[in-house]
Amino acid sequence: MKAIIAATISGVILMFAGILVKEKKNAVTLAVILLLALLGVNIYEVVSTPAAAPQAFFNNMLRIDRYAVWFNTLLTGCTLLYVLLIGKEIAKVGSHVAEYFALICFILCGLYILSGYNNMLMLFLGIEIISIPQYILAGSDKKNLKSSEASLKYFLMGAFSTGILLMGITLLYGATGSFYITNFTFLQADSLNVLALAGIILVMIALSFKVSAAPFHMWTPDVYDGAPTAFTAFMATVAKAAAFIAFLRLFQVAFGSLSNSWTLVLSVITAATLFVGNITAVFQQSVKRMLAYSSIAQAGFMLFAVISVNAIAWQGIIIYAVAYSVATIGIFAVLLKLKDYTYDGFNGLAQKEPTLAFVATIFLLSLAGIPLTGGFMAKYYVLSAAMQQGHLMWLVIFALLMAAISVYYYFRVIIAMYFKPGNPELNSPVTQTDKFLLILTCAIVLLIGIFPQLFLSV
Amino acid sequence: MTQLVYLVPLFPLIGFLINGIFWRKMPKTAGGVIGTLTILASFIVSLGIFFEVKNSGTATMVHLFDFINSGKLSIPFTFQVDALSSLFLLIITGVGFLIHVYSTSYMHEDEGMVKYFAYLNLFIFSMLLLVLGGNYLIMFIGWEGVGLCSYLLIGFWFKNRDYTNAAKKAFVMNRIGDLGFLVGMLLILYTYGTLSYQDFFGQLKGGQVIVSTSTYNWIAICLFIGAMGKSAQIPLYTWLPDAMAGPTPVSALIHAATMVTAGIYMIARSSALYNLAPMAQTLITWIGLATAIVAATIAMKQYDIKKVLAYSTVSQLGFMFLALGVGAYTTAVFHVMTHAFFKALLFLGAGSVIHAMGGEQDLRLMGGLGKKMRITQITFLIGCLAISGIPGFSGFFSKDEILAMAYAHDPILYYLGVFAAMMTAFYMFRLYFLAFTGIFRGTHDQEHHLHESPWAITIPLIILAILSVVGGYVGLPAVISEHHALASYLAPVVANTGEHHMLAGTEWMLMGISVSVSVLMIIVAYVRNKKPAFAPNTGVAKFLENKWYVDELYDAVIVRPIGAISRLLDRFAERAGIDGIVNGVGKLVGWGGDRVRLLQSGQVGFYIFVMVLGIIALFTLGFFWIR
């Protein structure tokens, strides 16, 4: 709860700073300080929240437990890492630097609500709080037509999916007479009425849209490609993880006992997501667009945590969200250093900037799920959660095949960096600070891969 | 102190990391000092641990962290500190330290000295992991690490093609053995559901899991195949003589303190298992004996100073396996210890000679070195006396114990063992007389440069020489003393079955026979090599000089047929079959991607249309499929 307040205040402070702070650099520094404070508040919450008993707020509309605050802490950490690594690039997007950071703080506020909501209204509120700033961030490069197009597309389709979400909530209310997700457990799987089932499927569709699952993913490549790269990195990671925790929470807590009625539908969505994300990524010529498709593919893996109603799924989503976010933020930080976003733009990077090429390799290995990196452990956790369900074996095998395909497009970048001659042009020189931060990010990726327990110790 | 056992491998690891990361930038001396000091630190901690274990006599498990926790399988990263592992700690770090000191001088001219020390530290680290591990998996990690480091160090001068081939050979031979070890390990896991020594041996003793003797035999034989590779037994011994390609201190390290003793350690550790597997024990006995004899015959006709020592190591390892096979595990460990002292001494002595000769290793071009290199000569002589089993020197006690145990088991083993021991005395003193006595046979230029080596080389030699003498007194023969210090120290850990209750007269007689034949052979060696003439060998001698043509045999029977099959598979199965399938799948994925890509038209209306289609499809699925 304190974190929600702190995030809002940070956002407001940053909005005022937009008027008062003239230097772009100072805005970045202020954002870093506020995020550090926010991280501190989150850590305080982890320490102060009792392990067993969730704390209820606003008439029990929020139930924040130890798990939720730990998830918040880790993702706030990711955000801090993101601002440290990419802050300079954010400052180059446009003139309203402080406002961009304010929007990021609001997204964090949405995340804190989504990780602890207990009422469908709060879910709706949280989803909107993370969505609207994203529409703006996507269009923040106002002079760039592609950016504006991305923003408009995202907004139109987002509005459509919000409508579906509201419809679903309405039907569920009609079926149960309640907005409280714990009340849905009174529904019985064998006597599930049409109203409730339709509500569940509609909510599932709306949330699938938010996490860019197929066939509701169509906005993703265009928006991620069109939006300023610095913001794509955030939208594809922390904002997406926020939507995922909401998805997971709803389907585990509220509909967990009804899993027979929706597992098949969701597994079809998962399979489609894996297929579309991986197959299409193969064909891209731009690394940025490839990463957009890869984020769809990774969402397919995260959906495994939603499908599997068990304790490992809760752990899996933490590991996956963190490992995927850190590696993706890292690879975007490398991408932002380059002028040319095509595969050819990476040619010969290993010769020119060995550190950059090395860390990029680790990030890509992690995204591909190679052992010793965080990505491997993440895939291991979510897939073993699905294995525990028993009847999802076909989906796990399919996912492994798709993971094998993903190796192709991730390794294409590594091959370009190490085995092809070329002289890549850099946007800005790689400073010692950059190197230090990138290696730190790299170390986190490896740490997750070797000691995943550290990130689950709550 | 035992709780601090993690420090022992930690120090070499730190040394490895520092030297390994900064090897390009660091000055040579700094690399040497760091490498050596870390081992010294480990040695000091090991000493403390040793005395603590000696006083308490109990085994301590030091749990570091959970390594693998998956379903029912739980493998903690645990160190087991007991009599056996603490003794090996002392040997590894103690002899290892001396070799490090020696290397600071020996490798000083080399460009890659810091890298060399990094590898050396990693080697010691792996070996420490191997002996400290509380279960077979950790042992296996060390086991593989040792194999890797030996590859790196044997091929240290990688610009020479022969050396890299030797490194490759060592690696491949070891891999063959490792496969056996791995299979044995998986069999244990499959049968008993655990890899930890305590659980496994406890279950063996308790007999909760009923298995047939053949299961014990299979596990024991698989593990022994691993030991064959690591400890260079027939048929996997040929890598060890070729391992001479590395710098001489490395040979000393591989042959004396680490690597080759791994197999002995593993079997001694698993003594509870081997006692239940009589067939495996018989196999070990005979393979050990055969190795001891074959290698000794080869050593008699080698002219390369290091090759002689290499085959002598193979032969001595054969003795140790003979002891293991008859159930005298303590005796094998005893011989490991004395062998570590005198073989390190001999190798380092040989290194000192090679150093003085400017890289020359051919015995035919040496002679009379004793006049110029007094310390090397005397220490080397002590080493020779020790390995030949002359009373008063350490080798006598351990080798004699092995022979007595063999006699108690079956007299024929004893006679064959004495035969091998006889040859040992001959080839060692042949080497000694050829190198150190007589007149110098090399070039005038070499003679001019002959000099005693610096202190960093001679001091380790002197220390090892002292140890080669006194090292044997921890295990006096039964007829002299009732108290066998080493046996009582190891008793809680190692389950000996080989015992001899023989009359004092018999024992004196056995001792007398083996000593007198050794002395006789020394005299023969002196007479034959007083005025050496090197005519080309013919007949049996030529057969021996060419090492029984085993390398050629392996090449013809295994290497070449495999090469031919590989080429065949490459041409047909690989290129036509597998490549075709793989590329086909790739093309299919590419084609699919190309089609799916077209859906992404950029039109929002179309996107929403697809979404609606998706919604309809999912509703159909959700409502009609399930109901």
Side-chain angles (χ1 to χ4, degrees):
Chain A
M1 190 59 210
K2 292 184 187 68
I4 297 176
I5 298 170
T8 319
I9 293 175
S10 306
V12 174
I13 293 175
L14 280 163
M15 284 177 76
F16 277 109
I19 309 168
L20 300 173
V21 179
K22 288 283 165 271
E23 276 291 309
K24 285 183 174 186
K25 221 170 150 189
N26 294 343
V28 179
T29 317
L30 181 64
V32 170
I33 293 168
L34 286 172
L35 278 170
L36 267 174
L38 207 47
L39 188 66
V41 172
N42 270 301
I43 291 171
Y44 170 75
E45 289 229 66
V46 173
V47 179
S48 62
T49 309
Q55 293 180 304
F57 299 98
F58 302 129
N59 270 334
N60 208 16
M61 283 164 90
L62 282 178
R63 280 172 77 82
I64 298 173
D65 55 9
R66 188 79 164 273
Y67 176 88
V69 289
W70 177 243
F71 189 84
N72 295 345
T73 310
L74 288 175
L75 283 175
T76 311
C78 290
T79 312
L80 180 63
L81 192 68
Y82 160 76
V83 172
L84 286 172
L85 271 170
I86 303 186
K88 265 190 288 178
E89 303 295 328
I90 298 175
K92 285 184 198 159
V93 172
S95 46
H96 306 287
V97 182
E99 279 91 335
Y100 304 149
F101 291 116
L103 292 170
I104 287 171
C105 281
F106 291 139
I107 292 179
L108 283 180
C109 173
L111 161 70
Y112 301 155
I113 292 174
L114 288 176
S115 64
Y117 69 93
N118 193 40
N119 186 299
M120 294 304 264
L121 292 179
M122 279 292 167
L123 168 69
F124 180 73
L125 201 61
I127 289 284
E128 287 308 296
I129 292 179
I130 62 164
S131 297
I132 294 169
Q134 287 192 73
Y135 305 149
I136 305 171
L137 288 178
S140 54
D141 189 1
K142 283 188 246 170
K143 285 170 199 148
N144 186 336
L145 207 59
K146 267 183 88 182
S147 171
S148 308
E149 185 194 334
S151 175
L152 187 64
K153 266 186 193 170
Y154 194 14
F155 174 67
L156 283 176
M157 301 187 71
F160 187 70
S161 83
T162 302
I164 294 172
L165 178 65
L166 280 176
M167 183 75 180
I169 294 175
T170 313
L171 291 181
L172 281 167
Y173 183 76
T176 61
S178 171
F179 281 135
Y180 285 94
I181 62 172
T182 36
N183 288 357
F184 296 153
T185 47
F186 296 126
L187 293 168
Q188 291 298 313
D190 44 349
S191 65
L192 200 59
N193 60 26
V194 177
L195 228 49
L197 184 59
I200 292 174
I201 294 180
L202 282 174
V203 172
M204 184 194 288
I205 288 167
L207 289 172
S208 297
F209 174 89
K210 294 296 174 196
V211 300
S212 70
F216 316 106
H217 67 285
M218 303 294 257
W219 59 275
T220 319
D222 290 7
V223 173
Y224 284 6
D225 199 24
T229 312
F231 294 130
T232 308
F234 190 71
M235 286 155 59
T237 55
V238 178
K240 195 178 233 179
F244 257 109
I245 193 71
F247 206 164
L248 180 86
R249 198 172 161 78
L250 187 63
F251 278 75
Q252 302 262 340
V253 175
F255 308 139
S257 54
L258 312 171
S259 65
N260 286 339
S261 56
W262 52 263
T263 305
L264 183 70
V265 181
L266 193 53
S267 49
V268 168
I269 293 180
T270 308
T273 309
L274 286 167
F275 182 78
V276 170
N278 284 302
I279 296 285
T280 325
V282 167
F283 242 79
Q284 301 309 318
Q285 293 309 315
S286 148
V287 174
K288 187 180 174 189
R289 208 168 165 82
M290 179 275 276
L291 285 171
Y293 279 104
S294 110
S295 90
I296 298 175
Q298 303 278 354
F301 278 98
M302 282 195 258
L303 280 174
F304 273 95
V306 182
I307 293 186
S308 324
V309 184
N310 54 40
I312 305 179
W314 287 94
Q315 300 185 334
I317 201 78
I318 287 197
I319 295 286
Y320 213 110
V322 177
Y324 163 71
S325 297
V326 173
T328 309
I329 289 168
I331 193 73
F332 268 107
V334 174
L335 187 68
L336 276 162
K337 285 278 169 208
L338 293 168
K339 270 224 167 82
D340 183 2
Y341 287 169
T342 61
Y343 280 97
D344 292 340
F346 279 79
N347 285 356
L349 189 64
Q351 241 106 58
K352 190 161 181 188
E353 287 291 341
T355 320
L356 219 53
F358 172 76
V359 295
T361 306
I362 298 286
F363 299 143
L364 290 165
L365 290 177
S366 178
L367 289 173
I370 305 296
L372 282 187
T373 60
F376 169 75
M377 273 300 161
K379 284 198 169 64
Y380 172 79
Y381 269 86
V382 293
L383 291 181
S384 59
M387 292 281 283
Q388 218 182 37
Q389 289 303 98
H391 55 274
L392 290 169
M393 204 54 206
W394 64 274
L395 197 57
V396 172
I397 293 172
F398 183 71
L400 291 177
L401 287 176
M402 289 296 141
I405 292 180
S406 77
V407 172
Y408 171 79
Y409 53 81
Y410 290 127
F411 276 48
R412 249 178 94 187
V413 184
I414 300 178
I415 290 169
M417 289 190 299
Y418 279 91
F419 301 114
K420 294 202 175 152
N423 190 18
E425 273 184 86
L426 296 186
N427 270 330
S428 55
V430 186
T431 61
Q432 289 297 329
T433 326
D434 287 338
K435 279 186 188 166
F436 170 75
L437 286 168
L438 282 169
I439 287 172
L440 179 76
T441 315
C442 210
I444 297 173
V445 169
L446 295 174
L447 194 68
I448 304 169
I450 299 168
F451 300 109
Q453 291 293 332
L454 278 182
F455 294 81
L456 298 171
S457 54
V458 276
Chain B
M1 197 77 194
T2 39
Q3 291 301 324
L4 295 178
V5 69
Y6 61 86
L7 288 176
V8 179
L10 186 67
F11 285 127
L13 184 64
I14 292 172
F16 160 69
L17 289 177
I18 296 175
N19 282 341
I21 292 172
F22 303 109
W23 69 275
R24 278 172 208 278
K25 292 173 191 158
M26 218 148 58
K28 285 181 188 173
T29 321
V33 168
I34 290 172
T36 312
L37 283 183
T38 52
I39 306 296
L40 179 64
S42 290
F43 178 64
I44 292 167
V45 180
S46 304
L47 265 183
I49 290 171
F50 177 80
F51 284 110
E52 194 165 305
V53 173
K54 192 173 182 313
N55 289 334
S56 66
T58 50
T60 320
M61 305 300 289
V62 181
H63 180 89
L64 294 181
F65 54 91
D66 285 329
F67 186 43
I68 296 176
N69 255 336
S70 165
K72 284 178 201 154
L73 178 68
S74 153
I75 296 175
F77 204 96
T78 309
F79 286 160
Q80 178 162 349
V81 187
D82 57 14
L84 189 61
S85 54
S86 62
L87 181 69
F88 268 86
L89 284 191
L90 272 195
I91 299 175
I92 295 164
T93 54
V95 178
F97 168 64
L98 293 176
I99 291 170
H100 274 72
V101 171
Y102 181 94
S103 297
T104 53
S105 166
Y106 192 85
M107 296 299 287
H108 206 264
E109 306 301 313
D110 200 280
E111 278 302 304
M113 176 161 154
V114 181
K115 191 169 66 171
Y116 168 87
F117 272 97
Y119 290 164
L120 222 52
N121 280 0
L122 186 63
F123 202 148
I124 301 269
F125 167 74
S126 307
M127 194 65 201
L128 291 171
L129 214 55
L130 193 155
V131 297
L132 275 175
N135 56 53
Y136 283 102
L137 190 71
I138 298 176
M139 185 196 265
F140 190 64
I141 297 173
W143 192 272
E144 292 292 303
V146 169
L148 169 72
C149 295
S150 67
Y151 171 79
L152 292 173
L153 282 167
I154 293 167
F156 186 71
W157 289 314
F158 54 84
K159 283 179 185 148
N160 183 323
R161 183 112 206 152
D162 288 346
Y163 292 179
T164 50
N165 280 343
K168 204 162 70 188
K169 189 171 176 182
F171 197 66
V172 171
M173 287 273 182
N174 269 295
R175 293 298 310 168
I176 296 172
D178 293 348
L179 186 66
F181 189 91
L182 197 62
V183 172
M185 208 164 80
L186 292 175
L187 273 176
I188 295 174
L189 190 63
Y190 176 74
T191 320
Y192 294 94
T194 178
L195 285 177
S196 126
Y197 302 142
Q198 283 189 332
D199 290 353
F200 176 44
F201 302 143
Q203 290 194 34
L204 283 180
K205 216 175 278 167
Q208 291 100 330
V209 184
I210 309 295
V211 291
S212 61
T213 317
S214 75
T215 314
Y216 294 136
N217 277 326
W218 276 116
I219 297 176
I221 289 173
C222 285
L223 291 180
F224 173 55
I225 291 173
M228 269 180 194
K230 214 43 74 198
S231 297
Q233 294 298 292
I234 289 175
L236 300 179
Y237 70 96
T238 54
W239 67 271
L240 190 58
D242 284 17
M244 302 292 81
T248 307
V250 171
S251 313
L253 195 62
I254 291 179
H255 287 241
T258 61
M259 185 104 181
V260 295
T261 60
I264 319 279
Y265 168 78
M266 190 265 291
I267 291 180
R269 174 60 83 195
S270 318
S271 53
L273 167 71
Y274 280 86
N275 287 336
L276 296 171
M279 205 175 85
Q281 280 194 314
T282 316
L283 184 74
I284 295 174
T285 312
W286 285 100
I287 287 204
L289 194 58
T291 310
I293 293 172
V294 169
T297 56
I298 296 173
M300 288 199 297
K301 284 290 168 198
Q302 296 305 310
Y303 290 113
D304 185 324
I305 184 168
K306 284 169 81 178
K307 277 261 156 79
V308 177
L309 292 175
Y311 278 102
S312 105
T313 304
V314 178
S315 170
Q316 296 298 312
L317 289 168
F319 276 110
M320 296 173 207
F321 276 95
L322 171 62
L324 293 174
V326 300
Y329 305 103
T330 311
T331 314
V333 173
F334 185 22
H335 200 54
V336 165
M337 190 184 88
T338 56
H339 179 255
F341 297 147
F342 59 69
K343 189 47 68 68
L345 168 62
L346 289 171
F347 261 111
L348 296 184
S352 172
V353 168
I354 295 166
H355 194 67
M357 293 284 294
E360 185 56 62
Q361 303 190 6
D362 195 329
L363 283 170
R364 284 170 288 200
L365 301 176
M366 296 178 186
L369 299 181
K371 288 174 216 110
K372 295 279 176 62
M373 311 176 68
R374 194 54 75 182
I375 300 174
T376 307
Q377 184 198 17
I378 293 170
T379 52
F380 203 89
L381 179 63
I382 293 172
C384 287
L385 290 169
I387 195 174
S388 306
I390 301 302
F393 296 88
S394 62
F396 165 75
F397 299 102
S398 53
K399 187 185 276 183
D400 196 72
E401 200 173 304
I402 293 177
L403 291 173
M405 293 291 184
Y407 184 84
H409 196 77
D410 188 349
I412 192 85
L413 297 175
Y414 170 78
Y415 294 117
L416 289 171
V418 169
F419 178 56
M422 198 169 95
M423 287 189 282
T424 309
F426 175 77
Y427 66 70
M428 281 319 299
F429 276 89
R430 168 178 170 270
L431 166 64
Y432 174 76
F433 291 128
L434 282 179
F436 290 99
T437 62
I439 49 159
F440 189 70
R441 295 180 295 274
T443 61
H444 190 72
D445 205 29
Q446 281 173 328
E447 188 171 13
H448 188 69
H449 280 116
L450 282 181
H451 59 278
E452 184 56 278
S453 301
W455 65 267
I457 289 185
T458 51
I459 287 184
L461 288 179
I462 293 168
I463 297 173
L464 284 168
I466 295 168
L467 288 171
S468 297
V469 178
V470 300
Y473 290 90
V474 296
L476 296 174
V479 284
I480 298 173
S481 157
E482 278 297 307
H483 181 66
H484 192 298
L486 190 71
S488 51
Y489 178 66
L490 288 176
V493 192
V494 178
N496 283 307
T497 52
E499 289 179 59
H500 61 278
H501 296 291
M502 56 180 79
L503 297 170
T506 323
E507 199 172 345
W508 283 118
M509 182 196 77
L510 296 178
M511 248 186 256
I513 294 175
S514 58
V515 170
S516 51
V517 293
S518 293
V519 172
L520 185 72
M521 289 321 283
I522 293 173
I523 295 165
V524 173
Y526 176 69
V527 173
R528 295 265 312 251
N529 295 300
K530 200 167 49 179
K531 290 208 175 73
F534 302 103
N537 286 316
T538 51
V540 177
K542 191 170 178 211
F543 181 68
L544 294 180
E545 189 188 348
N546 285 305
K547 311 153 198 164
W548 293 40
Y549 294 100
V550 170
D551 280 329
E552 287 78 0
L553 184 76
Y554 283 179
D555 197 45
V557 177
I558 298 169
V559 179
R560 271 190 232 157
I562 286 182
I565 293 171
S566 308
R567 272 191 294 281
L568 205 71
L569 286 176
D570 174 49
R571 198 156 304 153
F572 295 105
E574 176 69 29
R575 296 216 189 133
I578 296 172
D579 275 10
I581 295 169
V582 169
N583 291 338
V585 169
K587 272 187 199 141
L588 195 71
V589 168
W591 181 83
D594 202 26
R595 291 289 162 281
V596 176
R597 189 172 59 117
L598 299 179
L599 283 177
Q600 200 71 40
S601 63
Q603 304 293 324
V604 178
F606 179 70
Y607 291 176
I608 292 184
F609 176 66
V610 172
M611 270 177 79
V612 171
L613 280 185
I615 293 169
I616 293 170
L618 290 175
F619 261 87
T620 319
L621 189 72
F623 274 91
F624 298 106
W625 199 284
I626 299 164
R627 300 207 148 195

